Amino acid sequence: MTYLEDITKAVFDGDEAKTAELVQKAIDEGKDAQEILDKGLVQGLRECGAGFEKGEKFIPEMLMSAECMKVAMAIIKPLLVADVAAADAGGHAILATVEGDVHDIGLELVATMLETAGITVKNMGPDVPTTDIIAAVKAEKPDILGLSALLSNTMDVMPEILGILEKEGIRDSVKVMIGGAPVKQDFCDEIGADGWAYDASSAVPKAKELLAMRG
């Protein structure tokens, strides 16, 4: 296997030590950090997510893969962020996993990838009370609000947030992007969100698309 395939397998298997070892080795050998992220790490998380959808992987295993991503990002994030000066997306995003959902699988990765695209990010983390999310939107006036849910029962919090934004008269002031393992495009269309990202890798082009729609 190639070094990228080895990294993908380590993430898929949830092997933190192996993931860190392989990523550090690749960096020491002068491999491109963005390639390590896109074609190694993200691919491993993507394959794990596909296994989850098929019922072949379960939440504890996804969490193990997410931990692999965290240790790997600690190694390569400085290299990725070093390139941010060359990015030109601009804009400001607030990210959060909705209330009742303690999982942050992919959330930190999305935050890092948006930052490397030149977008200022506030990552509120997992299980964020809806009132806090609304307050943050009011106070900070972000261009994008990114909402994540890993559990099907917490997905229902997303339309609640959109409804409150509408009631408060600030829905049109922010583009709402949603994501998470059970979230799909049809749900995005159903609740009236502005965009859906399949995974962390697809979040960047979607965010740029939404930023381009700003008035």
Side-chain angles (χ1 to χ4, degrees), residues 3 6-29 36 40-41 64-77 79:
Y3 82 95
D6 288 339
I7 292 173
T8 293
K9 184 177 186 304
V11 173
F12 181 82
D13 292 341
D15 190 333
E16 286 184 51
K18 189 67 172 177
T19 300
E21 176 191 338
L22 291 170
V23 169
Q24 188 62 62
K25 182 173 184 290
I27 292 297
D28 291 344
E29 292 177 353
I36 293 170
L41 297 167
M64 289 171 64
S65 291
E67 288 302 317
C68 290
M69 293 296 301
K70 288 179 182 179
V71 299
M73 290 307 294
I75 297 171
I76 67 170
K77 182 176 180 178
L79 300 174

mmCIF file of all heavy atoms in Angstrom, residues 3 6-29 36 40-41 64-77 79:
data_model
loop_
_atom_site.group_PDB
_atom_site.id
_atom_site.type_symbol
_atom_site.label_atom_id
_atom_site.label_comp_id
_atom_site.label_asym_id
_atom_site.label_seq_id
_atom_site.Cartn_x
_atom_site.Cartn_y
_atom_site.Cartn_z
ATOM 1 N N TYR A 3 1.698 5.237 1.222
ATOM 2 C CA TYR A 3 1.677 5.819 2.567
ATOM 3 C C TYR A 3 0.307 6.419 2.873
ATOM 4 O O TYR A 3 -0.157 6.402 4.027
ATOM 5 C CB TYR A 3 2.791 6.856 2.716
ATOM 6 C CG TYR A 3 2.484 8.223 2.173
ATOM 7 C CD1 TYR A 3 2.003 9.233 2.994
ATOM 8 C CD2 TYR A 3 2.679 8.518 0.815
ATOM 9 C CE1 TYR A 3 1.720 10.494 2.506
ATOM 10 C CE2 TYR A 3 2.397 9.772 0.313
ATOM 11 C CZ TYR A 3 1.915 10.758 1.158
ATOM 12 O OH TYR A 3 1.637 12.006 0.656
ATOM 13 N N ASP A 6 -1.987 3.645 3.858
ATOM 14 C CA ASP A 6 -1.664 3.218 5.231
ATOM 15 C C ASP A 6 -2.311 4.141 6.266
ATOM 16 O O ASP A 6 -2.839 3.686 7.280
ATOM 17 C CB ASP A 6 -0.142 3.212 5.439
ATOM 18 C CG ASP A 6 0.543 2.061 4.704
ATOM 19 O OD1 ASP A 6 -0.142 1.072 4.390
ATOM 20 O OD2 ASP A 6 1.753 2.176 4.442
ATOM 21 N N ILE A 7 -2.268 5.449 5.983
ATOM 22 C CA ILE A 7 -2.881 6.417 6.889
ATOM 23 C C ILE A 7 -4.394 6.233 6.917
ATOM 24 O O ILE A 7 -5.019 6.243 7.985
ATOM 25 C CB ILE A 7 -2.518 7.858 6.471
ATOM 26 C CG1 ILE A 7 -1.022 8.108 6.711
ATOM 27 C CG2 ILE A 7 -3.370 8.884 7.229
ATOM 28 C CD1 ILE A 7 -0.507 9.433 6.179
ATOM 29 N N THR A 8 -4.972 6.044 5.750
ATOM 30 C CA THR A 8 -6.421 5.808 5.656
ATOM 31 C C THR A 8 -6.826 4.596 6.484
ATOM 32 O O THR A 8 -7.806 4.637 7.247
ATOM 33 C CB THR A 8 -6.840 5.580 4.191
ATOM 34 O OG1 THR A 8 -6.646 6.793 3.452
ATOM 35 C CG2 THR A 8 -8.306 5.173 4.085
ATOM 36 N N LYS A 9 -6.065 3.533 6.374
ATOM 37 C CA LYS A 9 -6.384 2.297 7.106
ATOM 38 C C LYS A 9 -6.257 2.502 8.613
ATOM 39 O O LYS A 9 -7.083 2.002 9.391
ATOM 40 C CB LYS A 9 -5.477 1.156 6.659
ATOM 41 C CG LYS A 9 -5.821 -0.193 7.303
ATOM 42 C CD LYS A 9 -4.947 -1.311 6.782
ATOM 43 C CE LYS A 9 -5.411 -2.656 7.326
ATOM 44 N NZ LYS A 9 -5.457 -2.713 8.801
ATOM 45 N N ALA A 10 -5.227 3.238 9.016
ATOM 46 C CA ALA A 10 -5.026 3.477 10.451
ATOM 47 C C ALA A 10 -6.200 4.258 11.045
ATOM 48 O O ALA A 10 -6.675 3.952 12.137
ATOM 49 C CB ALA A 10 -3.714 4.232 10.681
ATOM 50 N N VAL A 11 -6.691 5.259 10.309
ATOM 51 C CA VAL A 11 -7.851 6.030 10.773
ATOM 52 C C VAL A 11 -9.091 5.147 10.785
ATOM 53 O O VAL A 11 -9.866 5.145 11.743
ATOM 54 C CB VAL A 11 -8.084 7.265 9.874
ATOM 55 C CG1 VAL A 11 -9.391 7.967 10.246
ATOM 56 C CG2 VAL A 11 -6.917 8.234 9.985
ATOM 57 N N PHE A 12 -9.284 4.401 9.728
ATOM 58 C CA PHE A 12 -10.447 3.506 9.624
ATOM 59 C C PHE A 12 -10.455 2.494 10.767
ATOM 60 O O PHE A 12 -11.506 2.192 11.337
ATOM 61 C CB PHE A 12 -10.412 2.776 8.279
ATOM 62 C CG PHE A 12 -11.566 1.843 8.059
ATOM 63 C CD1 PHE A 12 -12.799 2.316 7.618
ATOM 64 C CD2 PHE A 12 -11.425 0.482 8.289
ATOM 65 C CE1 PHE A 12 -13.875 1.447 7.428
ATOM 66 C CE2 PHE A 12 -12.495 -0.399 8.096
ATOM 67 C CZ PHE A 12 -13.725 0.095 7.661
ATOM 68 N N ASP A 13 -9.273 1.995 11.122
ATOM 69 C CA ASP A 13 -9.159 1.008 12.198
ATOM 70 C C ASP A 13 -9.228 1.631 13.587
ATOM 71 O O ASP A 13 -9.320 0.912 14.590
ATOM 72 C CB ASP A 13 -7.840 0.229 12.072
ATOM 73 C CG ASP A 13 -7.813 -0.683 10.847
ATOM 74 O OD1 ASP A 13 -8.897 -0.995 10.313
ATOM 75 O OD2 ASP A 13 -6.704 -1.087 10.437
ATOM 76 N N GLY A 14 -9.147 2.957 13.649
ATOM 77 C CA GLY A 14 -9.180 3.636 14.950
ATOM 78 C C GLY A 14 -7.900 3.475 15.743
ATOM 79 O O GLY A 14 -7.908 3.503 16.976
ATOM 80 N N ASP A 15 -6.770 3.335 15.043
ATOM 81 C CA ASP A 15 -5.481 3.122 15.687
ATOM 82 C C ASP A 15 -4.744 4.465 15.824
ATOM 83 O O ASP A 15 -4.075 4.919 14.894
ATOM 84 C CB ASP A 15 -4.652 2.134 14.853
ATOM 85 C CG ASP A 15 -3.391 1.660 15.556
ATOM 86 O OD1 ASP A 15 -2.869 2.407 16.407
ATOM 87 O OD2 ASP A 15 -2.933 0.536 15.253
ATOM 88 N N GLU A 16 -4.885 5.093 16.989
ATOM 89 C CA GLU A 16 -4.298 6.411 17.214
ATOM 90 C C GLU A 16 -2.783 6.429 17.074
ATOM 91 O O GLU A 16 -2.212 7.297 16.406
ATOM 92 C CB GLU A 16 -4.665 6.936 18.604
ATOM 93 C CG GLU A 16 -6.089 7.395 18.761
ATOM 94 C CD GLU A 16 -6.318 7.982 20.147
ATOM 95 O OE1 GLU A 16 -5.545 8.860 20.563
ATOM 96 O OE2 GLU A 16 -7.274 7.543 20.817
ATOM 97 N N ALA A 17 -2.128 5.481 17.737
ATOM 98 C CA ALA A 17 -0.667 5.454 17.734
ATOM 99 C C ALA A 17 -0.125 5.288 16.315
ATOM 100 O O ALA A 17 0.824 5.968 15.911
ATOM 101 C CB ALA A 17 -0.164 4.321 18.632
ATOM 102 N N LYS A 18 -0.747 4.401 15.564
ATOM 103 C CA LYS A 18 -0.302 4.144 14.193
ATOM 104 C C LYS A 18 -0.555 5.364 13.315
ATOM 105 O O LYS A 18 0.288 5.726 12.484
ATOM 106 C CB LYS A 18 -1.048 2.928 13.625
ATOM 107 C CG LYS A 18 -0.487 2.444 12.285
ATOM 108 C CD LYS A 18 0.912 1.865 12.451
ATOM 109 C CE LYS A 18 1.406 1.217 11.171
ATOM 110 N NZ LYS A 18 2.795 0.711 11.318
ATOM 111 N N THR A 19 -1.697 5.995 13.506
ATOM 112 C CA THR A 19 -2.016 7.188 12.722
ATOM 113 C C THR A 19 -0.981 8.278 12.966
ATOM 114 O O THR A 19 -0.441 8.861 12.017
ATOM 115 C CB THR A 19 -3.415 7.730 13.080
ATOM 116 O OG1 THR A 19 -4.407 6.736 12.807
ATOM 117 C CG2 THR A 19 -3.737 8.975 12.267
ATOM 118 N N ALA A 20 -0.684 8.546 14.235
ATOM 119 C CA ALA A 20 0.292 9.583 14.580
ATOM 120 C C ALA A 20 1.665 9.246 14.012
ATOM 121 O O ALA A 20 2.357 10.111 13.461
ATOM 122 C CB ALA A 20 0.370 9.745 16.092
ATOM 123 N N GLU A 21 2.043 7.979 14.122
ATOM 124 C CA GLU A 21 3.353 7.541 13.618
ATOM 125 C C GLU A 21 3.462 7.744 12.113
ATOM 126 O O GLU A 21 4.468 8.275 11.603
ATOM 127 C CB GLU A 21 3.546 6.065 13.957
ATOM 128 C CG GLU A 21 4.829 5.456 13.396
ATOM 129 C CD GLU A 21 4.866 3.936 13.529
ATOM 130 O OE1 GLU A 21 4.147 3.384 14.396
ATOM 131 O OE2 GLU A 21 5.595 3.304 12.753
ATOM 132 N N LEU A 22 2.437 7.344 11.390
ATOM 133 C CA LEU A 22 2.459 7.430 9.924
ATOM 134 C C LEU A 22 2.428 8.879 9.439
ATOM 135 O O LEU A 22 3.128 9.240 8.488
ATOM 136 C CB LEU A 22 1.272 6.658 9.337
ATOM 137 C CG LEU A 22 1.327 5.138 9.476
ATOM 138 C CD1 LEU A 22 -0.013 4.524 9.079
ATOM 139 C CD2 LEU A 22 2.452 4.567 8.604
ATOM 140 N N VAL A 23 1.626 9.714 10.110
ATOM 141 C CA VAL A 23 1.536 11.116 9.714
ATOM 142 C C VAL A 23 2.860 11.832 9.985
ATOM 143 O O VAL A 23 3.356 12.587 9.142
ATOM 144 C CB VAL A 23 0.373 11.816 10.447
ATOM 145 C CG1 VAL A 23 0.444 13.332 10.252
ATOM 146 C CG2 VAL A 23 -0.960 11.291 9.944
ATOM 147 N N GLN A 24 3.448 11.592 11.148
ATOM 148 C CA GLN A 24 4.732 12.223 11.465
ATOM 149 C C GLN A 24 5.813 11.774 10.493
ATOM 150 O O GLN A 24 6.628 12.592 10.033
ATOM 151 C CB GLN A 24 5.143 11.874 12.899
ATOM 152 C CG GLN A 24 6.374 12.640 13.371
ATOM 153 C CD GLN A 24 6.150 14.134 13.391
ATOM 154 O OE1 GLN A 24 5.292 14.623 14.110
ATOM 155 N NE2 GLN A 24 6.916 14.867 12.580
ATOM 156 N N LYS A 25 5.806 10.502 10.151
ATOM 157 C CA LYS A 25 6.789 9.965 9.199
ATOM 158 C C LYS A 25 6.623 10.634 7.837
ATOM 159 O O LYS A 25 7.607 11.019 7.191
ATOM 160 C CB LYS A 25 6.624 8.440 9.065
ATOM 161 C CG LYS A 25 7.631 7.764 8.141
ATOM 162 C CD LYS A 25 7.475 6.248 8.234
ATOM 163 C CE LYS A 25 8.535 5.527 7.398
ATOM 164 N NZ LYS A 25 8.311 5.694 5.944
ATOM 165 N N ALA A 26 5.368 10.799 7.402
ATOM 166 C CA ALA A 26 5.107 11.424 6.108
ATOM 167 C C ALA A 26 5.575 12.875 6.101
ATOM 168 O O ALA A 26 6.174 13.340 5.120
ATOM 169 C CB ALA A 26 3.612 11.347 5.787
ATOM 170 N N ILE A 27 5.326 13.596 7.198
ATOM 171 C CA ILE A 27 5.776 14.984 7.303
ATOM 172 C C ILE A 27 7.293 15.056 7.283
ATOM 173 O O ILE A 27 7.893 15.895 6.604
ATOM 174 C CB ILE A 27 5.234 15.633 8.597
ATOM 175 C CG1 ILE A 27 3.718 15.807 8.517
ATOM 176 C CG2 ILE A 27 5.910 16.972 8.862
ATOM 177 C CD1 ILE A 27 3.244 16.737 7.426
ATOM 178 N N ASP A 28 7.943 14.156 8.029
ATOM 179 C CA ASP A 28 9.406 14.133 8.080
ATOM 180 C C ASP A 28 10.013 13.852 6.712
ATOM 181 O O ASP A 28 11.128 14.297 6.412
ATOM 182 C CB ASP A 28 9.886 13.070 9.079
ATOM 183 C CG ASP A 28 9.563 13.433 10.528
ATOM 184 O OD1 ASP A 28 9.255 14.617 10.775
ATOM 185 O OD2 ASP A 28 9.602 12.529 11.385
ATOM 186 N N GLU A 29 9.263 13.134 5.891
ATOM 187 C CA GLU A 29 9.742 12.803 4.540
ATOM 188 C C GLU A 29 9.387 13.879 3.520
ATOM 189 O O GLU A 29 9.651 13.731 2.326
ATOM 190 C CB GLU A 29 9.155 11.455 4.098
ATOM 191 C CG GLU A 29 9.696 10.271 4.888
ATOM 192 C CD GLU A 29 9.053 8.950 4.479
ATOM 193 O OE1 GLU A 29 8.095 8.984 3.665
ATOM 194 O OE2 GLU A 29 9.514 7.896 4.962
ATOM 195 N N ILE A 36 -1.899 14.782 2.726
ATOM 196 C CA ILE A 36 -2.065 13.856 3.850
ATOM 197 C C ILE A 36 -3.480 13.972 4.405
ATOM 198 O O ILE A 36 -4.141 12.972 4.693
ATOM 199 C CB ILE A 36 -1.030 14.155 4.956
ATOM 200 C CG1 ILE A 36 0.381 13.827 4.465
ATOM 201 C CG2 ILE A 36 -1.344 13.346 6.221
ATOM 202 C CD1 ILE A 36 1.484 14.304 5.403
ATOM 203 N N GLY A 40 -5.526 10.992 2.794
ATOM 204 C CA GLY A 40 -5.231 9.978 3.795
ATOM 205 C C GLY A 40 -6.210 10.017 4.944
ATOM 206 O O GLY A 40 -7.034 9.126 5.108
ATOM 207 N N LEU A 41 -6.172 11.104 5.709
ATOM 208 C CA LEU A 41 -6.985 11.212 6.923
ATOM 209 C C LEU A 41 -8.484 11.304 6.631
ATOM 210 O O LEU A 41 -9.283 10.548 7.179
ATOM 211 C CB LEU A 41 -6.532 12.431 7.729
ATOM 212 C CG LEU A 41 -5.088 12.380 8.247
ATOM 213 C CD1 LEU A 41 -4.657 13.744 8.753
ATOM 214 C CD2 LEU A 41 -4.953 11.333 9.338
ATOM 215 N N MET A 64 -13.492 6.415 17.814
ATOM 216 C CA MET A 64 -12.074 6.028 17.763
ATOM 217 C C MET A 64 -11.397 6.619 16.532
ATOM 218 O O MET A 64 -10.261 7.123 16.601
ATOM 219 C CB MET A 64 -11.957 4.501 17.760
ATOM 220 C CG MET A 64 -12.324 3.844 19.091
ATOM 221 S SD MET A 64 -12.422 2.037 18.987
ATOM 222 C CE MET A 64 -10.714 1.621 18.592
ATOM 223 N N SER A 65 -12.091 6.588 15.400
ATOM 224 C CA SER A 65 -11.539 7.177 14.182
ATOM 225 C C SER A 65 -11.409 8.686 14.330
ATOM 226 O O SER A 65 -10.445 9.292 13.849
ATOM 227 C CB SER A 65 -12.423 6.838 12.977
ATOM 228 O OG SER A 65 -12.339 5.462 12.666
ATOM 229 N N ALA A 66 -12.377 9.293 15.014
ATOM 230 C CA ALA A 66 -12.326 10.732 15.250
ATOM 231 C C ALA A 66 -11.131 11.106 16.124
ATOM 232 O O ALA A 66 -10.486 12.143 15.913
ATOM 233 C CB ALA A 66 -13.620 11.207 15.910
ATOM 234 N N GLU A 67 -10.818 10.264 17.095
ATOM 235 C CA GLU A 67 -9.646 10.504 17.946
ATOM 236 C C GLU A 67 -8.368 10.428 17.122
ATOM 237 O O GLU A 67 -7.409 11.168 17.362
ATOM 238 C CB GLU A 67 -9.612 9.502 19.095
ATOM 239 C CG GLU A 67 -10.667 9.755 20.165
ATOM 240 C CD GLU A 67 -10.555 11.132 20.787
ATOM 241 O OE1 GLU A 67 -9.429 11.563 21.086
ATOM 242 O OE2 GLU A 67 -11.602 11.786 20.968
ATOM 243 N N CYS A 68 -8.348 9.525 16.158
ATOM 244 C CA CYS A 68 -7.198 9.430 15.246
ATOM 245 C C CYS A 68 -7.020 10.746 14.491
ATOM 246 O O CYS A 68 -5.899 11.236 14.314
ATOM 247 C CB CYS A 68 -7.396 8.294 14.244
ATOM 248 S SG CYS A 68 -7.297 6.645 14.961
ATOM 249 N N MET A 69 -8.135 11.303 14.053
ATOM 250 C CA MET A 69 -8.089 12.570 13.335
ATOM 251 C C MET A 69 -7.528 13.675 14.229
ATOM 252 O O MET A 69 -6.734 14.503 13.778
ATOM 253 C CB MET A 69 -9.493 12.956 12.874
ATOM 254 C CG MET A 69 -10.095 12.061 11.813
ATOM 255 S SD MET A 69 -9.197 12.084 10.249
ATOM 256 C CE MET A 69 -9.292 13.804 9.823
ATOM 257 N N LYS A 70 -7.922 13.670 15.495
ATOM 258 C CA LYS A 70 -7.485 14.718 16.412
ATOM 259 C C LYS A 70 -5.971 14.680 16.626
ATOM 260 O O LYS A 70 -5.303 15.719 16.606
ATOM 261 C CB LYS A 70 -8.214 14.591 17.750
ATOM 262 C CG LYS A 70 -9.680 14.983 17.687
ATOM 263 C CD LYS A 70 -10.352 14.822 19.047
ATOM 264 C CE LYS A 70 -11.822 15.165 18.988
ATOM 265 N NZ LYS A 70 -12.505 14.989 20.299
ATOM 266 N N VAL A 71 -5.431 13.476 16.832
ATOM 267 C CA VAL A 71 -3.983 13.385 17.068
ATOM 268 C C VAL A 71 -3.223 13.756 15.795
ATOM 269 O O VAL A 71 -2.150 14.363 15.858
ATOM 270 C CB VAL A 71 -3.561 11.989 17.575
ATOM 271 C CG1 VAL A 71 -4.229 11.672 18.895
ATOM 272 C CG2 VAL A 71 -3.842 10.885 16.568
ATOM 273 N N ALA A 72 -3.791 13.396 14.649
ATOM 274 C CA ALA A 72 -3.135 13.717 13.385
ATOM 275 C C ALA A 72 -3.186 15.216 13.102
ATOM 276 O O ALA A 72 -2.203 15.814 12.647
ATOM 277 C CB ALA A 72 -3.807 12.949 12.241
ATOM 278 N N MET A 73 -4.335 15.833 13.412
ATOM 279 C CA MET A 73 -4.472 17.262 13.160
ATOM 280 C C MET A 73 -3.537 18.082 14.037
ATOM 281 O O MET A 73 -3.068 19.151 13.643
ATOM 282 C CB MET A 73 -5.917 17.695 13.389
ATOM 283 C CG MET A 73 -6.908 17.172 12.348
ATOM 284 S SD MET A 73 -6.437 17.534 10.650
ATOM 285 C CE MET A 73 -6.554 19.320 10.634
ATOM 286 N N ALA A 74 -3.244 17.575 15.226
ATOM 287 C CA ALA A 74 -2.298 18.266 16.112
ATOM 288 C C ALA A 74 -0.922 18.341 15.455
ATOM 289 O O ALA A 74 -0.157 19.282 15.686
ATOM 290 C CB ALA A 74 -2.211 17.550 17.453
ATOM 291 N N ILE A 75 -0.625 17.359 14.623
ATOM 292 C CA ILE A 75 0.670 17.312 13.953
ATOM 293 C C ILE A 75 0.697 18.202 12.711
ATOM 294 O O ILE A 75 1.646 18.949 12.486
ATOM 295 C CB ILE A 75 1.016 15.857 13.547
ATOM 296 C CG1 ILE A 75 1.147 14.986 14.804
ATOM 297 C CG2 ILE A 75 2.297 15.808 12.724
ATOM 298 C CD1 ILE A 75 1.266 13.502 14.506
ATOM 299 N N ILE A 76 -0.364 18.141 11.923
ATOM 300 C CA ILE A 76 -0.318 18.839 10.625
ATOM 301 C C ILE A 76 -0.997 20.211 10.600
ATOM 302 O O ILE A 76 -0.772 20.979 9.671
ATOM 303 C CB ILE A 76 -0.900 17.964 9.494
ATOM 304 C CG1 ILE A 76 -2.413 17.755 9.685
ATOM 305 C CG2 ILE A 76 -0.179 16.640 9.398
ATOM 306 C CD1 ILE A 76 -3.063 17.106 8.472
ATOM 307 N N LYS A 77 -1.791 20.524 11.629
ATOM 308 C CA LYS A 77 -2.500 21.813 11.611
ATOM 309 C C LYS A 77 -1.560 23.004 11.461
ATOM 310 O O LYS A 77 -1.846 23.921 10.678
ATOM 311 C CB LYS A 77 -3.364 21.979 12.863
ATOM 312 C CG LYS A 77 -4.167 23.281 12.856
ATOM 313 C CD LYS A 77 -5.100 23.395 14.059
ATOM 314 C CE LYS A 77 -5.878 24.697 14.017
ATOM 315 N NZ LYS A 77 -6.837 24.810 15.147
ATOM 316 N N LEU A 79 1.107 23.279 9.855
ATOM 317 C CA LEU A 79 1.531 23.349 8.461
ATOM 318 C C LEU A 79 0.403 23.839 7.565
ATOM 319 O O LEU A 79 0.623 24.578 6.607
ATOM 320 C CB LEU A 79 2.009 21.969 7.983
ATOM 321 C CG LEU A 79 3.192 21.384 8.762
ATOM 322 C CD1 LEU A 79 3.472 19.955 8.307
ATOM 323 C CD2 LEU A 79 4.429 22.255 8.562
#
